[in-house]
Amino acid sequence: MRGGRYLRQFFETFGPIALNYFFAVSAYKFFVSEKSCGDKLKKRLVTLIVPYIAWNTIYISLYILQNGLPNIRTVILGYTLTPFDGPLWYIFVLYIYLAISSICMSRWTWLSTKLGWLIIILTFVVAAFHHAVIHSLISFPYDWWVERTLRMAPPFLYGVYCSKHKLIELGRHSTVIPGIISMICLLSSTILGDNVIITLLLYLCTLSLWNVLPNFTLKADSIIKNDMFIIYSIHEGIIIVMLAVCNKGNVHFGKYSSLIFMILLETVLIVTIGFCLNLIIRRLPTVVNIIFTGGRNEHHNKEKKQY
C-alpha cells in the first residue's frame, strides 16, 4: 500500500511542475516579443480563448448526461471559474494573467525592477496559502479556484522577469546541477506529501528545469503542438464516460487487474481518439482548426494568416 501511495504521489507531481513551467514559458514568450501588448492579447484570444469556449461548449453534453440541464449560474461558471472541460481551467487563468500583467507593466514600468523581490515574497505566501486551503485551515466559496490560480502567479512572474532581464541562456555544461536539483525536488515531493515545503520544492524544480531546457526556439513536433492539446482537452470526458459505463454495467475486476486494465484502456482510448480528431481537423477548413486547436496545426499556417 505504501508503495502504491508513493507511486501515485510521484506521478501527481508532474502536473504541477508542467503547469508551472507552462505559465513561465507563456509569460516569457509573451513579454519577450516586440509586438504591442494589444496585438499579442488579440492573438491569444484565438490561440487560447477560442478553443477554450469551443471545448467547453462540447462538454456541456457530458454535464447534461451526469447532472441534467444546467441553470444560468452553472453555465456562467462553466465558462469561467469551473469550466465544463475541467482540465482547461488554466487557459482562463493564463489569459487573465496576461491581460492584468500587460496593463500593470505598461502603467507602472518600475515593477520590472521589483519583480525579483515580488516573486520571492509571493512564492512563500502562495505556498502557505496552498497549505491552508488543502488542509481546510482556510475555507470560503471557491477557495480551491483562488488557491490554484494564485499558485500559478510565481512561475508566471518568473517568466516575466526573465523576459525583462534576458536570464535564459546558460552554457551546456551548467545544466547538470539544475538537472540534479530537479530530480531531488521530484523525489522529495514524492516522499513528503502535499504541504508548504512540497509547493516550494516544485517551484524550485520549475526554476531548475528552466535552466535545463532554456531553448524555446526549437520546432516542436505536431504531437506536442497539436495532438497533445486535443488529448488534454478530451481526456476527462473519456474518463467520465468510462466510469459511467462501468458503474451502470456493474463491471468489476480483480484488485490489481482492474487498475491496470483501466489505466491501459483509458490511455489507448484517449490517445487514439485524440490522434483521430487531429487527422480529421487537418482536413477541415482553417476556421475549424482554429476553433478546436487555437491554430496549432502547421498544415494551415498560410491560410491562418489570411484568416
Side-chain angles (χ1 to χ4, degrees):
M1 291 297 292
R2 181 175 297 180
R5 179 172 65 88
Y6 286 152
L7 182 62
R8 179 179 178 180
Q9 290 176 189
F10 178 79
F11 284 109
E12 285 181 347
T13 58
F14 283 101
I17 292 173
L19 273 179
N20 288 346
Y21 195 74
F22 173 77
F23 270 71
V25 171
S26 298
Y28 175 85
K29 297 184 72 172
F30 182 87
F31 283 97
V32 81
S33 172
E34 296 181 354
K35 296 181 180 179
S36 66
C37 287
D39 291 338
K40 289 183 285 188
L41 286 174
K42 288 178 182 177
K43 180 180 179 182
R44 272 26 176 225
L45 277 174
V46 175
T47 60
L48 292 176
I49 302 302
V50 172
Y52 176 82
I53 294 174
W55 284 107
N56 272 302
T57 302
I58 293 174
Y59 270 67
I60 288 179
S61 59
L62 283 179
Y63 179 90
I64 295 174
L65 179 64
Q66 287 186 299
N67 308 290
L69 290 174
N71 54 35
I72 296 178
R73 178 175 178 271
T74 302
V75 171
I76 294 175
L77 290 175
Y79 283 96
T80 53
L81 301 185
T82 56
F84 291 107
D85 187 6
L88 296 186
W89 66 268
Y90 72 91
I91 291 182
F92 183 73
V93 172
L94 177 60
Y95 197 84
I96 291 176
Y97 275 168
L98 291 173
I100 293 177
S101 58
S102 299
I103 296 173
C104 293
M105 290 297 173
S106 61
R107 291 190 176 183
W108 301 294
T109 55
W110 55 268
L111 278 176
S112 60
T113 62
K114 306 294 183 181
L115 275 176
W117 287 107
L118 179 61
I119 293 170
I120 293 173
I121 295 172
L122 191 61
T123 295
F124 285 94
V125 171
V126 170
F129 183 74
H130 166 78
H131 178 86
V133 171
I134 292 299
H135 295 278
S136 300
L137 301 177
I138 295 178
S139 179
F140 55 88
Y142 301 109
D143 51 1
W144 51 271
W145 189 89
V146 175
E147 180 275 323
R148 68 183 184 185
T149 299
L150 291 179
R151 195 156 24 100
M152 294 299 106
F156 179 89
L157 290 178
Y158 182 73
V160 178
Y161 177 85
C162 290
S163 71
K164 301 297 181 183
H165 299 276
K166 311 297 182 184
L167 297 178
I168 187 163
E169 292 293 346
L170 293 175
R172 293 182 178 179
H173 299 290
S174 60
T175 62
V176 176
I177 294 178
I180 294 175
I181 294 175
S182 299
M183 290 304 302
I184 293 175
C185 292
L186 181 60
L187 293 175
S188 300
S189 60
T190 299
I191 297 173
L192 297 178
D194 191 3
N195 52 46
V196 179
I197 302 300
I198 296 309
T199 306
L200 295 176
L201 284 173
L202 295 183
Y203 284 151
L204 180 60
C205 185
T206 304
L207 302 184
S208 301
L209 284 176
W210 185 277
N211 295 326
V212 175
L213 307 170
N215 190 356
F216 300 134
T217 61
L218 295 176
K219 293 183 179 179
D221 187 77
S222 174
I223 189 174
I224 298 176
K225 295 171 65 176
N226 191 22
D227 300 334
M228 292 308 294
F229 176 82
I230 298 176
I231 289 173
Y232 189 78
S233 301
I234 67 175
H235 80 274
E236 185 171 285
I238 294 175
I239 293 173
I240 290 173
V241 172
M242 284 187 60
L243 291 176
V245 170
C246 290
N247 290 333
K248 290 185 178 181
N250 198 23
V251 178
H252 297 285
F253 301 94
K255 183 177 181 181
Y256 296 104
S257 62
S258 61
L259 175 62
I260 296 174
F261 176 79
M262 290 297 291
I263 291 176
L264 291 176
L265 184 58
E266 287 173 4
T267 303
V268 170
L269 284 176
I270 290 169
V271 174
T272 302
I273 294 176
F275 285 158
C276 290
L277 284 176
N278 182 37
L279 292 175
I280 294 173
I281 290 173
R282 284 178 182 271
R283 290 162 175 76
L284 293 176
T286 304
V287 175
V288 177
N289 169 56
I290 291 176
I291 289 174
F292 287 101
T293 70
R296 289 168 173 80
N297 196 322
E298 288 182 344
H299 181 69
H300 292 294
N301 275 346
K302 294 181 180 180
E303 295 91 335
K304 193 171 57 175
K305 291 180 180 178
Q306 295 176 359
Y307 174 79

